Coordinates of all heavy atoms in Angstrom, one line a residue:
F156 N 94.0 -76.0 34.4 CA 94.2 -77.4 34.5 C 92.9 -78.1 35.1 O 92.9 -79.3 35.1 CB 95.4 -77.7 35.5 CG 96.7 -77.4 34.8 CD1 97.3 -76.2 35.0 CD2 97.3 -78.4 34.0 CE1 98.6 -76.0 34.4 CE2 98.5 -78.2 33.4 CZ 99.1 -77.0 33.6
N157 N 92.0 -77.3 35.5 CA 90.7 -77.9 36.1 C 90.9 -79.0 37.1 O 90.3 -80.0 37.1 CB 89.8 -78.4 34.9 CG 89.3 -77.3 34.1 OD1 89.2 -76.2 34.6 ND2 88.8 -77.6 32.9
G158 N 91.9 -78.8 38.0 CA 92.2 -79.8 39.1 C 92.9 -81.0 38.7 O 93.0 -82.0 39.4
S159 N 93.4 -81.1 37.4 CA 94.2 -82.3 37.0 C 95.5 -81.8 36.4 O 95.7 -80.6 36.2 CB 93.4 -83.1 36.1 OG 93.3 -82.5 34.8
S160 N 96.3 -82.7 35.9 CA 97.5 -82.4 35.2 C 97.3 -82.2 33.7 O 98.3 -82.0 33.0 CB 98.6 -83.5 35.5 OG 98.1 -84.7 34.8
T161 N 96.1 -82.2 33.3 CA 95.8 -82.0 31.8 C 95.3 -80.5 31.6 O 94.8 -79.9 32.5 CB 94.8 -83.0 31.3 OG1 93.5 -82.7 32.0 CG2 95.2 -84.4 31.5
R162 N 95.4 -80.1 30.4 CA 94.7 -78.9 30.0 C 93.4 -79.2 29.3 O 93.3 -80.2 28.6 CB 95.6 -78.1 28.9 CG 96.9 -77.6 29.5 CD 96.7 -76.3 30.1 NE 97.9 -75.8 30.6 CZ 98.1 -74.5 31.0 NH1 97.1 -73.7 30.9 NH2 99.2 -74.1 31.4
L163 N 92.4 -78.4 29.5 CA 91.1 -78.7 29.0 C 90.4 -77.4 28.5 O 90.5 -76.4 29.2 CB 90.2 -79.3 30.1 CG 88.7 -79.5 29.8 CD1 88.6 -80.6 28.8 CD2 88.0 -79.9 31.1
A164 N 89.8 -77.5 27.3 CA 89.1 -76.4 26.8 C 87.8 -77.0 26.1 O 87.9 -78.0 25.4 CB 89.9 -75.6 25.7
N165 N 86.7 -76.4 26.3 CA 85.5 -76.8 25.7 C 84.9 -75.6 24.9 O 84.0 -75.0 25.3 CB 84.5 -77.3 26.7 CG 83.3 -78.0 26.1 OD1 82.9 -77.7 24.9 ND2 82.6 -78.9 26.8
A166 N 85.5 -75.3 23.8 CA 85.1 -74.2 22.9 C 85.6 -74.5 21.5 O 86.4 -75.3 21.3 CB 85.8 -72.9 23.5
A167 N 85.0 -73.8 20.6 CA 85.4 -73.9 19.2 C 86.7 -73.2 19.0 O 87.0 -72.2 19.6 CB 84.3 -73.3 18.3
N168 N 87.4 -73.6 18.0 CA 88.7 -73.0 17.5 C 89.7 -72.7 18.6 O 90.2 -71.6 18.7 CB 88.3 -71.7 16.8 CG 87.3 -71.9 15.7 OD1 87.6 -72.8 14.8 ND2 86.2 -71.2 15.7
V169 N 90.0 -73.8 19.4 CA 91.0 -73.7 20.4 C 92.2 -74.6 20.0 O 92.0 -75.5 19.2 CB 90.5 -74.1 21.8 CG1 89.5 -73.0 22.3 CG2 89.9 -75.5 21.8
A170 N 93.4 -74.3 20.6 CA 94.5 -75.2 20.2 C 95.5 -75.2 21.4 O 95.6 -74.3 22.2 CB 95.2 -74.6 19.0
A171 N 96.3 -76.2 21.4 CA 97.5 -76.3 22.3 C 98.7 -76.6 21.4 O 98.6 -77.4 20.5 CB 97.3 -77.4 23.3
T172 N 99.8 -75.9 21.7 CA 101.0 -76.1 20.9 C 102.2 -76.5 21.8 O 102.4 -75.9 22.9 CB 101.3 -74.8 20.2 OG1 100.2 -74.4 19.4 CG2 102.6 -74.9 19.3
W173 N 103.0 -77.4 21.3 CA 104.2 -77.8 22.0 C 105.3 -77.5 21.1 O 105.4 -78.0 19.9 CB 104.2 -79.3 22.3 CG 103.2 -79.8 23.3 CD1 103.4 -80.0 24.6 CD2 101.9 -80.2 23.1 NE1 102.3 -80.5 25.2 CE2 101.3 -80.6 24.3 CE3 101.1 -80.3 21.9 CZ2 100.0 -81.1 24.4 CZ3 99.8 -80.7 22.0 CH2 99.3 -81.1 23.3
S174 N 106.3 -76.8 21.5 CA 107.5 -76.6 20.7 C 108.4 -77.8 20.9 O 108.5 -78.4 22.0 CB 108.3 -75.4 21.3 OG 107.6 -74.2 21.1
A175 N 108.9 -78.3 19.7 CA 109.8 -79.4 19.8 C 111.0 -79.1 20.5 O 111.6 -78.0 20.3 CB 110.1 -79.9 18.3
P176 N 111.5 -79.9 21.4 CA 112.7 -79.6 22.1 C 113.9 -79.6 21.1 O 113.7 -79.9 20.0 CB 112.9 -80.8 23.1 CG 112.0 -81.9 22.5 CD 110.9 -81.2 21.7
S177 N 115.0 -79.1 21.6 CA 116.2 -79.1 20.7 C 116.6 -80.5 20.3 O 117.4 -81.1 20.9 CB 117.3 -78.4 21.4 OG 117.0 -77.0 21.7
L178 N 115.9 -81.0 19.3 CA 116.2 -82.4 18.8 C 117.4 -82.5 17.9 O 117.6 -81.6 17.1 CB 114.9 -82.8 18.0 CG 113.6 -82.9 18.8 CD1 112.5 -83.2 17.9 CD2 113.7 -83.8 20.0
A179 N 118.1 -83.5 18.1 CA 119.2 -83.8 17.1 C 118.5 -84.2 15.8 O 117.5 -84.8 15.8 CB 120.1 -85.0 17.6
P180 N 119.1 -83.8 14.7 CA 118.5 -84.1 13.4 C 118.2 -85.6 13.3 O 119.1 -86.4 13.7 CB 119.5 -83.6 12.4 CG 120.2 -82.5 13.1 CD 120.3 -83.0 14.5
G181 N 117.0 -86.0 12.8 CA 116.7 -87.4 12.6 C 115.2 -87.6 12.5 O 114.4 -86.7 12.7
Y182 N 114.9 -88.9 12.4 CA 113.5 -89.3 12.3 C 113.0 -89.6 13.8 O 113.7 -90.2 14.5 CB 113.3 -90.5 11.5 CG 113.4 -90.2 10.0 CD1 114.6 -90.3 9.3 CD2 112.2 -89.7 9.3 CE1 114.6 -89.9 8.0 CE2 112.3 -89.4 8.0 CZ 113.5 -89.5 7.3 OH 113.6 -89.2 6.0
Y183 N 111.8 -89.1 14.1 CA 111.2 -89.3 15.4 C 109.8 -89.8 15.2 O 109.0 -89.3 14.4 CB 111.2 -88.0 16.2 CG 112.5 -87.5 16.6 CD1 113.4 -86.8 15.7 CD2 112.9 -87.7 17.9 CE1 114.6 -86.4 16.2 CE2 114.2 -87.3 18.3 CZ 115.0 -86.6 17.5 OH 116.3 -86.2 17.9
S184 N 109.4 -90.7 16.1 CA 108.0 -91.1 16.3 C 107.4 -90.0 17.2 O 108.0 -89.7 18.2 CB 107.9 -92.5 16.9 OG 106.6 -92.7 17.3
V185 N 106.3 -89.5 16.8 CA 105.6 -88.5 17.6 C 104.3 -89.1 18.1 O 103.5 -89.7 17.3 CB 105.3 -87.2 16.8 CG1 104.5 -86.2 17.6 CG2 106.6 -86.6 16.2
A186 N 104.0 -89.0 19.4 CA 102.8 -89.6 20.0 C 102.2 -88.6 20.9 O 102.9 -87.8 21.5 CB 103.2 -90.9 20.7
I187 N 100.9 -88.7 21.1 CA 100.2 -87.8 22.0 C 99.5 -88.7 23.1 O 99.1 -89.8 22.8 CB 99.1 -87.0 21.3 CG1 98.4 -86.0 22.3 CG2 98.1 -87.8 20.6 CD1 97.6 -85.0 21.6
Y188 N 99.5 -88.2 24.3 CA 98.9 -89.0 25.4 C 97.4 -88.6 25.4 O 97.0 -87.5 25.5 CB 99.6 -88.7 26.7 CG 99.1 -89.7 27.8 CD1 99.8 -90.9 27.9 CD2 98.1 -89.4 28.6 CE1 99.4 -91.8 28.9 CE2 97.7 -90.4 29.6 CZ 98.3 -91.5 29.7 OH 97.9 -92.5 30.6
R189 N 96.6 -89.7 25.3 CA 95.1 -89.5 25.4 C 94.6 -90.1 26.7 O 95.0 -91.2 27.0 CB 94.5 -90.1 24.2 CG 94.9 -89.6 22.8 CD 94.2 -90.3 21.7 NE 94.4 -91.7 21.7 CZ 93.8 -92.6 20.9 NH1 92.9 -92.2 20.0 NH2 94.0 -93.9 21.0
L190 N 93.7 -89.4 27.3 CA 93.0 -89.9 28.5 C 91.6 -90.4 28.1 O 90.9 -89.8 27.3 CB 92.8 -88.8 29.5 CG 94.1 -88.2 30.1 CD1 93.9 -86.9 30.8 CD2 94.7 -89.3 31.1
A191 N 91.3 -91.5 28.7 CA 90.0 -92.2 28.4 C 88.9 -91.4 29.1 O 88.5 -91.7 30.2 CB 90.0 -93.6 28.9
V192 N 88.4 -90.4 28.4 CA 87.3 -89.6 28.9 C 86.3 -89.5 27.8 O 86.6 -89.0 26.7 CB 87.7 -88.2 29.4 CG1 86.5 -87.4 29.9 CG2 88.8 -88.3 30.5
S193 N 85.0 -90.0 28.0 CA 84.1 -90.1 26.9 C 83.6 -88.7 26.3 O 83.1 -88.7 25.2 CB 82.8 -90.8 27.4 OG 82.2 -90.2 28.4
T194 N 83.8 -87.6 27.1 CA 83.4 -86.3 26.6 C 84.5 -85.6 25.8 O 84.2 -84.5 25.4 CB 82.9 -85.4 27.8 OG1 84.0 -85.3 28.7 CG2 81.7 -86.0 28.4
N195 N 85.6 -86.2 25.6 CA 86.7 -85.6 24.9 C 86.3 -85.6 23.4 O 85.5 -86.4 22.9 CB 88.0 -86.4 25.0 CG 88.7 -86.2 26.3 OD1 88.3 -85.3 27.1 ND2 89.7 -87.0 26.6
S196 N 86.9 -84.6 22.7 CA 86.6 -84.5 21.2 C 87.0 -85.8 20.5 O 88.0 -86.4 20.8 CB 87.5 -83.3 20.7 OG 87.4 -83.3 19.3
Q197 N 86.1 -86.1 19.6 CA 86.4 -87.3 18.7 C 86.9 -86.9 17.4 O 87.1 -87.8 16.5 CB 85.1 -88.1 18.6 CG 84.6 -88.7 19.9 CD 83.4 -89.5 19.8 OE1 83.0 -89.9 18.7 NE2 82.7 -89.8 20.9
A198 N 87.1 -85.6 17.2 CA 87.6 -85.1 15.9 C 88.6 -84.0 16.0 O 88.4 -82.9 15.5 CB 86.5 -84.8 15.0
A199 N 89.6 -84.2 16.9 CA 90.6 -83.1 17.0 C 91.6 -83.2 15.9 O 91.7 -84.3 15.2 CB 91.4 -83.3 18.4
N200 N 92.4 -82.2 15.6 CA 93.4 -82.2 14.6 C 94.8 -82.0 15.2 O 95.0 -81.2 16.0 CB 93.1 -81.0 13.6 CG 91.9 -81.3 12.8 OD1 91.7 -82.3 12.2 ND2 91.0 -80.3 12.8
F201 N 95.7 -82.9 14.7 CA 97.1 -82.9 15.2 C 97.9 -82.4 14.0 O 97.9 -83.1 12.9 CB 97.4 -84.3 15.7 CG 98.7 -84.3 16.4 CD1 98.7 -83.9 17.8 CD2 99.9 -84.8 15.9 CE1 99.9 -84.0 18.5 CE2 101.0 -84.9 16.6 CZ 101.0 -84.5 17.9
T202 N 98.7 -81.3 14.1 CA 99.5 -80.8 13.0 C 101.0 -80.9 13.5 O 101.3 -80.5 14.6 CB 99.1 -79.4 12.7 OG1 97.7 -79.4 12.3 CG2 99.9 -78.9 11.5
V203 N 101.8 -81.3 12.6 CA 103.3 -81.4 12.9 C 104.0 -80.4 11.9 O 103.8 -80.5 10.7 CB 103.8 -82.8 12.7 CG1 105.3 -82.9 13.0 CG2 103.0 -83.8 13.6
V204 N 104.8 -79.6 12.5 CA 105.7 -78.7 11.7 C 107.1 -79.1 12.0 O 107.6 -79.1 13.1 CB 105.5 -77.2 12.1 CG1 106.4 -76.3 11.3 CG2 104.0 -76.8 12.0
H205 N 107.8 -79.6 10.9 CA 109.1 -80.1 11.0 C 109.9 -79.9 9.7 O 109.3 -79.9 8.6 CB 109.0 -81.6 11.3 CG 108.4 -82.4 10.1 ND1 109.1 -83.1 9.2 CD2 107.1 -82.5 9.7 CE1 108.3 -83.6 8.3 NE2 107.1 -83.3 8.6
N206 N 111.2 -79.6 9.9 CA 112.1 -79.5 8.7 C 111.5 -78.6 7.6 O 111.7 -78.9 6.4 CB 112.4 -80.9 8.2 CG 113.6 -80.9 7.3 OD1 114.6 -80.2 7.5 ND2 113.6 -81.8 6.3
G207 N 110.9 -77.5 8.0 CA 110.3 -76.6 7.1 C 109.0 -77.0 6.4 O 108.5 -76.3 5.5
I208 N 108.4 -78.1 6.9 CA 107.2 -78.6 6.3 C 106.1 -78.5 7.4 O 106.3 -78.9 8.5 CB 107.4 -80.1 5.9 CG1 108.5 -80.2 4.9 CG2 106.1 -80.7 5.4 CD1 109.0 -81.6 4.7
T209 N 104.9 -78.1 6.9 CA 103.7 -78.2 7.8 C 102.8 -79.3 7.2 O 102.3 -79.2 6.1 CB 102.9 -76.8 7.8 OG1 103.8 -75.8 8.3 CG2 101.7 -76.9 8.7
E210 N 102.7 -80.4 8.0 CA 101.9 -81.5 7.5 C 100.5 -81.2 7.5 O 100.0 -80.3 8.3 CB 102.2 -82.7 8.4 CG 103.6 -83.2 8.4 CD 104.0 -83.9 7.1 OE1 103.1 -84.4 6.4 OE2 105.2 -84.1 6.9
A211 N 99.7 -81.8 6.7 CA 98.2 -81.7 6.7 C 97.8 -82.2 8.1 O 98.3 -83.2 8.6 CB 97.6 -82.5 5.6
P212 N 96.7 -81.6 8.6 CA 96.3 -82.1 10.0 C 95.8 -83.6 9.9 O 95.3 -84.0 9.0 CB 95.1 -81.2 10.2 CG 95.3 -80.0 9.4 CD 96.0 -80.5 8.2
I213 N 96.1 -84.2 11.0 CA 95.8 -85.6 11.2 C 94.6 -85.7 12.2 O 94.8 -85.2 13.3 CB 97.0 -86.5 11.7 CG1 98.1 -86.4 10.7 CG2 96.6 -87.9 12.0 CD1 99.5 -86.8 11.2
S214 N 93.5 -86.3 11.8 CA 92.4 -86.4 12.8 C 92.7 -87.4 13.9 O 93.2 -88.5 13.6 CB 91.1 -86.8 12.0 OG 90.0 -86.8 12.9
V215 N 92.4 -87.0 15.1 CA 92.7 -87.8 16.3 C 91.5 -87.9 17.2 O 90.9 -86.8 17.5 CB 93.9 -87.3 17.1 CG1 94.1 -88.1 18.3 CG2 95.2 -87.2 16.2
N216 N 91.0 -89.1 17.5 CA 89.9 -89.3 18.5 C 90.5 -89.2 19.9 O 91.4 -90.0 20.2 CB 89.3 -90.6 18.2 CG 88.2 -90.9 19.2 OD1 87.9 -90.1 20.1 ND2 87.5 -92.0 19.0
L217 N 90.2 -88.2 20.6 CA 90.7 -88.0 22.0 C 89.9 -88.7 23.0 O 90.1 -88.6 24.2 CB 90.8 -86.5 22.3 CG 91.7 -85.7 21.5 CD1 91.6 -84.2 21.9 CD2 93.1 -86.2 21.5
A218 N 88.9 -89.5 22.6 CA 88.0 -90.3 23.6 C 88.2 -91.8 23.4 O 87.3 -92.5 23.1 CB 86.6 -89.9 23.4
P219 N 89.5 -92.3 23.7 CA 89.7 -93.7 23.5 C 89.1 -94.5 24.7 O 88.7 -93.9 25.7 CB 91.2 -93.8 23.5 CG 91.6 -92.7 24.4 CD 90.7 -91.6 24.1
S220 N 89.0 -95.8 24.5 CA 88.5 -96.6 25.6 C 89.5 -96.8 26.8 O 89.1 -97.1 27.9 CB 88.0 -98.0 25.1 OG 89.1 -98.6 24.5
T221 N 90.8 -96.7 26.5 CA 91.8 -96.7 27.5 C 92.8 -95.6 27.3 O 93.0 -95.1 26.2 CB 92.6 -98.1 27.4 OG1 93.2 -98.2 26.1 CG2 91.7 -99.3 27.7
S222 N 93.4 -95.1 28.4 CA 94.4 -94.1 28.4 C 95.7 -94.6 27.9 O 96.0 -95.8 28.1 CB 94.5 -93.5 29.7 OG 93.3 -92.9 30.2
G223 N 96.5 -93.7 27.2 CA 97.8 -94.1 26.8 C 98.3 -93.3 25.6 O 97.6 -92.4 25.1
F224 N 99.5 -93.5 25.2 CA 100.1 -92.8 24.1 C 99.5 -93.3 22.8 O 99.4 -94.5 22.6 CB 101.6 -92.9 24.1 CG 102.3 -91.8 25.0 CD1 102.7 -92.2 26.2 CD2 102.4 -90.5 24.6 CE1 103.3 -91.2 27.1 CE2 103.0 -89.6 25.4 CZ 103.4 -89.9 26.6
F225 N 99.2 -92.4 21.9 CA 98.8 -92.8 20.5 C 99.8 -92.2 19.5 O 100.0 -91.0 19.5 CB 97.4 -92.1 20.3 CG 96.9 -92.2 18.9 CD1 96.4 -93.4 18.4 CD2 97.0 -91.1 18.0 CE1 96.0 -93.4 17.0 CE2 96.5 -91.1 16.7 CZ 96.0 -92.3 16.2
E226 N 100.4 -93.1 18.7 CA 101.4 -92.6 17.8 C 100.7 -92.0 16.6 O 99.8 -92.5 16.0 CB 102.2 -93.8 17.3 CG 103.3 -93.3 16.4 CD 104.3 -94.4 15.9 OE1 104.3 -95.5 16.5 OE2 105.0 -94.2 14.9
V227 N 101.1 -90.7 16.3 CA 100.5 -89.9 15.2 C 101.3 -90.2 13.9 O 100.7 -90.2 12.9 CB 100.6 -88.4 15.6 CG1 100.1 -87.6 14.5 CG2 99.8 -88.2 16.9
G228 N 102.6 -90.4 14.0 CA 103.4 -90.7 12.8 C 104.9 -90.5 13.1 O 105.3 -90.2 14.2
T229 N 105.6 -90.7 12.0 CA 107.1 -90.6 12.0 C 107.4 -89.4 11.1 O 107.0 -89.3 10.0 CB 107.8 -91.9 11.5 OG1 107.4 -92.9 12.4 CG2 109.3 -91.7 11.5
F230 N 108.3 -88.5 11.6 CA 108.6 -87.3 10.9 C 110.1 -87.0 11.1 O 110.7 -87.3 12.1 CB 107.8 -86.1 11.5 CG 106.4 -86.4 11.5 CD1 105.7 -86.9 12.6 CD2 105.6 -86.1 10.4 CE1 104.4 -87.1 12.7 CE2 104.2 -86.4 10.4 CZ 103.6 -86.9 11.5
F231 N 110.7 -86.3 10.1 CA 112.1 -85.9 10.2 C 112.2 -84.5 10.8 O 111.6 -83.6 10.3 CB 112.8 -85.9 8.8 CG 114.2 -85.5 8.9 CD1 115.2 -86.5 9.1 CD2 114.6 -84.2 8.8 CE1 116.5 -86.1 9.3 CE2 116.0 -83.8 8.9 CZ 116.9 -84.8 9.1
F232 N 112.9 -84.4 11.9 CA 113.1 -83.1 12.6 C 114.5 -82.7 12.4 O 115.4 -83.5 12.5 CB 112.8 -83.2 14.1 CG 111.3 -83.2 14.4 CD1 110.6 -84.4 14.4 CD2 110.6 -82.1 14.6 CE1 109.3 -84.5 14.6 CE2 109.2 -82.1 14.9 CZ 108.6 -83.4 14.9
S233 N 114.7 -81.4 12.0 CA 116.1 -81.0 11.7 C 116.7 -80.3 12.9 O 117.9 -80.1 12.9 CB 116.0 -79.9 10.6 OG 115.3 -78.8 11.0
G234 N 116.0 -80.0 13.9 CA 116.5 -79.4 15.1 C 116.4 -77.9 15.0 O 116.9 -77.1 15.9
A235 N 115.9 -77.4 13.9 CA 115.8 -75.9 13.7 C 114.7 -75.3 14.5 O 113.7 -76.0 14.9 CB 115.5 -75.6 12.2
P236 N 114.8 -74.0 14.9 CA 113.8 -73.3 15.6 C 112.5 -73.4 14.8 O 112.4 -73.4 13.6 CB 114.3 -71.9 15.7 CG 115.8 -72.0 15.5 CD 116.0 -73.1 14.6
G237 N 111.4 -73.4 15.5 CA 110.0 -73.3 14.9 C 109.4 -74.7 14.7 O 108.3 -74.7 14.2
E238 N 110.1 -75.8 15.0 CA 109.5 -77.1 14.8 C 108.5 -77.3 16.0 O 108.9 -76.9 17.2 CB 110.5 -78.2 14.8 CG 111.4 -78.0 13.5 CD 112.4 -79.1 13.4 OE1 113.1 -79.4 14.3 OE2 112.5 -79.7 12.3
L239 N 107.3 -77.8 15.7 CA 106.3 -77.9 16.8 C 105.3 -78.9 16.4 O 105.2 -79.4 15.3 CB 105.7 -76.6 17.0 CG 105.0 -75.9 15.8 CD1 103.6 -76.3 15.7 CD2 105.0 -74.4 16.0
V240 N 104.4 -79.2 17.4 CA 103.2 -80.0 17.2 C 102.1 -79.2 17.8 O 102.2 -78.5 18.8 CB 103.3 -81.4 17.8 CG1 104.4 -82.2 17.1 CG2 103.6 -81.4 19.3
R241 N 100.9 -79.3 17.2 CA 99.7 -78.5 17.6 C 98.5 -79.5 17.6 O 98.3 -80.2 16.6 CB 99.5 -77.3 16.7 CG 98.3 -76.5 17.1 CD 98.1 -75.3 16.2 NE 99.2 -74.4 16.5 CZ 100.1 -73.9 15.6 NH1 100.0 -74.3 14.4 NH2 101.0 -73.1 16.0
L242 N 97.7 -79.4 18.7 CA 96.5 -80.1 18.7 C 95.4 -79.0 18.7 O 95.5 -78.1 19.5 CB 96.4 -80.9 20.1 CG 95.2 -81.7 20.3 CD1 95.1 -82.9 19.2 CD2 95.1 -82.3 21.7
S243 N 94.4 -79.1 17.8 CA 93.4 -78.1 17.7 C 92.0 -78.7 17.4 O 91.9 -79.8 17.1 CB 93.8 -77.2 16.5 OG 93.8 -77.9 15.3
Q244 N 91.1 -77.8 17.6 CA 89.7 -78.2 17.4 C 89.0 -77.0 16.6 O 89.2 -75.9 16.9 CB 89.0 -78.3 18.8 CG 87.5 -78.6 18.7 CD 87.1 -79.0 20.1 OE1 87.1 -80.2 20.4 NE2 86.7 -78.1 21.0
G245 N 88.3 -77.4 15.6 CA 87.6 -76.4 14.7 C 86.3 -76.0 15.3 O 86.2 -75.9 16.6
A246 N 85.3 -75.9 14.5 CA 84.0 -75.4 14.9 C 83.2 -76.5 15.7 O 82.3 -76.2 16.5 CB 83.1 -75.0 13.7
T247 N 83.6 -77.8 15.6 CA 82.9 -78.8 16.3 C 83.4 -78.8 17.8 O 84.6 -78.9 18.0 CB 83.2 -80.2 15.7 OG1 82.7 -80.2 14.4 CG2 82.4 -81.3 16.5
V248 N 82.5 -78.7 18.7 CA 82.9 -78.5 20.1 C 82.9 -79.9 20.8 O 81.9 -80.6 20.7 CB 82.0 -77.5 20.8 CG1 82.4 -77.4 22.3 CG2 82.1 -76.1 20.2
G249 N 83.9 -80.2 21.5 CA 84.1 -81.3 22.4 C 85.2 -80.9 23.4 O 85.8 -79.8 23.2
N250 N 85.4 -81.7 24.4 CA 86.5 -81.3 25.3 C 87.9 -81.6 24.6 O 88.2 -82.7 24.2 CB 86.5 -82.2 26.5 CG 85.3 -81.8 27.4 OD1 84.9 -80.6 27.4 ND2 84.9 -82.7 28.3
L251 N 88.6 -80.5 24.3 CA 90.0 -80.6 23.8 C 90.9 -80.8 25.0 O 91.2 -79.8 25.6 CB 90.3 -79.4 22.9 CG 91.6 -79.6 22.2 CD1 91.5 -80.6 21.1 CD2 92.1 -78.3 21.6
R252 N 91.2 -82.0 25.4 CA 91.9 -82.3 26.6 C 93.3 -82.7 26.1 O 93.5 -83.6 25.3 CB 91.3 -83.4 27.4 CG 92.0 -83.7 28.7 CD 91.4 -84.9 29.4 NE 89.9 -84.7 29.6 CZ 89.4 -84.1 30.7 NH1 90.1 -83.7 31.7 NH2 88.1 -84.0 30.8
T253 N 94.4 -82.0 26.7 CA 95.7 -82.3 26.3 C 96.5 -82.7 27.5 O 96.2 -82.2 28.6 CB 96.4 -81.1 25.6 OG1 96.5 -80.0 26.5 CG2 95.6 -80.7 24.4
D254 N 97.6 -83.4 27.3 CA 98.5 -83.8 28.4 C 99.9 -83.7 28.0 O 100.6 -82.9 28.4 CB 98.1 -85.2 28.9 CG 98.9 -85.6 30.2 OD1 98.7 -84.9 31.2 OD2 99.6 -86.6 30.1
A255 N 100.3 -84.6 27.1 CA 101.8 -84.7 26.8 C 102.0 -85.1 25.3 O 101.1 -85.8 24.8 CB 102.5 -85.7 27.7
V256 N 103.1 -84.7 24.8 CA 103.5 -85.2 23.5 C 104.9 -85.9 23.7 O 105.7 -85.4 24.4 CB 103.6 -84.0 22.5 CG1 104.3 -84.5 21.2 CG2 102.3 -83.5 22.2
R257 N 105.1 -87.0 23.0 CA 106.4 -87.7 23.2 C 107.1 -87.8 21.8 O 106.5 -88.1 20.8 CB 106.1 -89.1 23.7 CG 107.3 -90.0 23.8 CD 106.9 -91.4 24.4 NE 106.2 -92.1 23.3 CZ 105.5 -93.2 23.6 NH1 105.4 -93.7 24.8 NH2 104.9 -93.8 22.6
F258 N 108.4 -87.5 21.8 CA 109.2 -87.6 20.7 C 110.2 -88.7 20.9 O 111.0 -88.7 21.9 CB 110.1 -86.3 20.5 CG 109.2 -85.1 20.2 CD1 108.8 -84.3 21.3 CD2 109.0 -84.7 18.9 CE1 108.0 -83.2 21.0 CE2 108.2 -83.5 18.7 CZ 107.7 -82.8 19.7
T259 N 110.2 -89.8 20.1 CA 111.1 -90.9 20.3 C 112.0 -91.0 19.0 O 111.5 -91.2 17.9 CB 110.3 -92.2 20.4 OG1 109.4 -92.1 21.5 CG2 111.2 -93.4 20.7
K260 N 113.3 -90.8 19.2 CA 114.2 -90.9 18.1 C 114.4 -92.3 17.6 O 114.5 -93.2 18.4 CB 115.6 -90.3 18.5 CG 116.6 -90.2 17.3 CD 117.7 -89.3 17.7 CE 118.6 -88.9 16.5 NZ 118.7 -89.6 15.4
L261 N 114.3 -92.4 16.3 CA 114.4 -93.8 15.7 C 115.8 -94.0 15.3 O 116.5 -93.0 14.9 CB 113.4 -93.9 14.5 CG 112.0 -93.6 14.9 CD1 111.1 -93.7 13.6 CD2 111.5 -94.6 15.9
P262 N 116.3 -95.3 15.3 CA 117.7 -95.6 14.9 C 117.9 -95.3 13.4 O 117.1 -95.2 12.6 CB 117.8 -97.1 15.2 CG 116.5 -97.6 15.5 CD 115.5 -96.4 15.7

C-alpha cells in the first residue's frame, strides 16, 4: 500500500483484479476510482469479464486532474462465478495505482 489506502506498482506487465461481488443478474455501471497523481499511468487497460464475455480492454488514463470515480461502461452481469474486472499495464511503465471499483445496478 506504500503508506496509503491504494495499491501501487511501477513495473511492466502488472495487474490488479477485483472479483465481482455476488451480483443479482442485471445491467451495472462499472466505475474505477482514480487519484489525481501526475505520475500515474496514462495508458492503463481495464478489462471486464461478465456473463461469459471478456470485453476488449478499455484504455484508461489514471492521471486525471481531479480525483474521483470514472465510469468505464455498462455491462450485463449474470451473477455467475468468475465475473471480474481487471486493471493492467503492458510494457509501458507508469504508476499503476488502484483503489476501488464500483458496481451500480441500473433500473
Side-chain angles (χ1 to χ4, degrees):
F156 287 95
N157 289 340
S159 72
S160 64
T161 64
R162 292 273 182 168
L163 172 68
N165 189 334
N168 303 310
V169 294
T172 302
W173 292 266
S174 296
S177 297
L178 300 173
Y182 285 93
Y183 289 81
S184 168
V185 178
I187 185 167
Y188 193 84
R189 300 181 301 172
L190 293 165
V192 179
S193 63
T194 57
N195 283 351
S196 174
Q197 295 183 16
N200 291 309
F201 194 78
T202 304
V203 180
V204 177
H205 64 102
N206 198 33
I208 300 166
T209 301
E210 296 289 340
I213 299 163
S214 181
V215 177
N216 179 354
L217 297 179
S220 58
T221 58
S222 298
F224 277 99
F225 170 76
E226 185 176 343
V227 178
T229 299
F230 307 92
F231 182 86
F232 286 86
S233 66
E238 294 182 313
L239 58 87
V240 294
R241 177 176 294 122
L242 184 65
S243 62
Q244 177 167 268
T247 303
V248 176
N250 287 335
L251 187 71
R252 184 182 307 268
T253 66
D254 187 59
V256 171
R257 178 179 69 194
F258 298 88
T259 304
K260 189 163 190 335
L261 301 176

